[in-house]
Amino acid sequence: MAKIRITQVKSKIGSNKVQKATIEALGIKKMNHSVEKEATPQILGMVSKVSHLVKVEEI
């Protein structure tokens, strides 16, 4: 599986609680924090739900 780096680039203030929970579930703690995850269908689905808040890079 390919790895991806997910970085929060926009604040989650004003987002609904489902989007906030998705950011937390991805392991992102605060602005400009990055995590590296395997590019599984589950992770890619979570990223697509908060794509307006995060930046995704393939590693």
Side-chain angles (χ1 to χ4, degrees), residues 1 8 14 20 22 26 28 33-34 38 40 45-47 51 53 55 58:
M1 272 292 158
Q8 183 179 352
K20 289 180 185 180
T22 303
L26 285 168
I28 299 172
H33 183 237
S34 296
E38 292 289 332
T40 63
M46 293 168 76
V47 168
S51 61
L53 301 175
K55 176 179 70 170
E58 195 167 329

Side-chain angles (χ1 to χ4, degrees), residues 4-7 26 28 33-35 37 43 47 54-55:
I4 57 173
R5 179 178 295 129
I6 308 162
T7 306
L26 285 168
I28 299 172
H33 183 237
S34 296
V35 293
K37 300 280 186 183
I43 296 295
V47 168
V54 297
K55 176 179 70 170

